[in-house]
Amino acid sequence: MAVDWSGAQRGMNVLDVCCGSGDLALLLARRVGEQGQVTGADFAVEQLAIAARRALTKGYTARTEWVEADALNLPFETAQFDALTMGYGLRNLVNISKGLSELQRVLKPGGKVAILDFHRPSSAVSQRFQQWYLDAVVVPAAKRCGLTDEYAYIGPSVDRFPIGSEQVDLAIAADFDRAVHYPLLG
């Protein structure tokens, strides 16, 4: 969905911010084809190395680039990218407004940004379900994989993350022409 929502097409130059191990970036590489270019940016060098290995196994090395970068101070020219994605990164930024402004800065006029992330549900029932899901499924699965510390932050990061309407307001304040929040799974 995020790749579709980004509007990425064959031949485009696209950016995946907070790319981690490259899940969205590799989907984008398939979408933009051999004439396109995908840049994955993340501050975690270890994750970028994983992404580069994954791109190699898929034969995408010619159309992918992996850049160590801070999402609050992206090392790219203004209006450089046709489309952008960010998966599970926005809620982790220390300054969401600044991060959105950086996305807007590096996006070409008329381009789209698709952000996929957890959200803080507005209904009490959805909040209880999400908390149960994180506590009973996500964190225990991470613990079994030896990733307890890496996933312990999820609950607190969701708790302080702006709700959907606030995210829309922040995007508009960052000079995006239009912003839409789609709550998934209730």
Side-chain angles (χ1 to χ4, degrees), residues 24-166:
L24 282 175
L26 295 175
L27 291 171
L28 288 164
R30 183 171 59 196
R31 176 68 59 91
V32 301
E34 292 180 15
Q35 291 75 35
Q37 179 67 35
V38 176
T39 302
D42 202 296
F43 71 90
V45 177
E46 299 85 2
Q47 290 292 308
L48 292 171
I50 293 168
R53 284 194 303 272
R54 292 178 68 207
L56 179 64
T57 64
K58 292 184 176 289
Y60 293 160
T61 54
R63 66 183 106 155
T64 55
E65 176 184 17
W66 309 100
V67 176
E68 183 180 359
D70 178 352
L72 302 180
N73 188 22
L74 294 169
F76 306 113
E77 297 293 323
T78 297
Q80 182 173 341
F81 297 99
D82 299 299
L84 281 77
T85 59
M86 179 186 278
Y88 303 103
L90 188 65
R91 72 187 147 79
N92 296 317
L93 300 183
V94 295
N95 185 333
I96 292 172
S97 295
K98 172 76 171 133
L100 289 170
S101 292
E102 274 296 280
L103 297 180
Q104 171 63 12
R105 181 185 67 77
V106 300
L107 184 66
K108 288 180 180 177
K112 291 183 182 178
V113 175
I115 299 172
L116 179 64
D117 214 318
F118 286 109
H119 76 285
R120 190 165 36 114
S122 53
S123 83
V125 172
S126 294
Q127 287 175 4
R128 283 194 301 277
F129 173 77
Q130 180 172 283
Q131 192 61 53
W132 170 85
Y133 177 71
L134 292 173
D135 293 343
V137 178
V138 174
V139 173
K143 186 175 184 178
R144 285 191 299 276
C145 295
L147 300 170
T148 302
D149 293 341
E150 290 85 343
Y151 281 80
Y153 77 94
I154 290 178
S157 72
V158 170
D159 291 342
R160 69 175 181 271
F161 196 44
I163 62 170
S165 61
E166 294 167 338

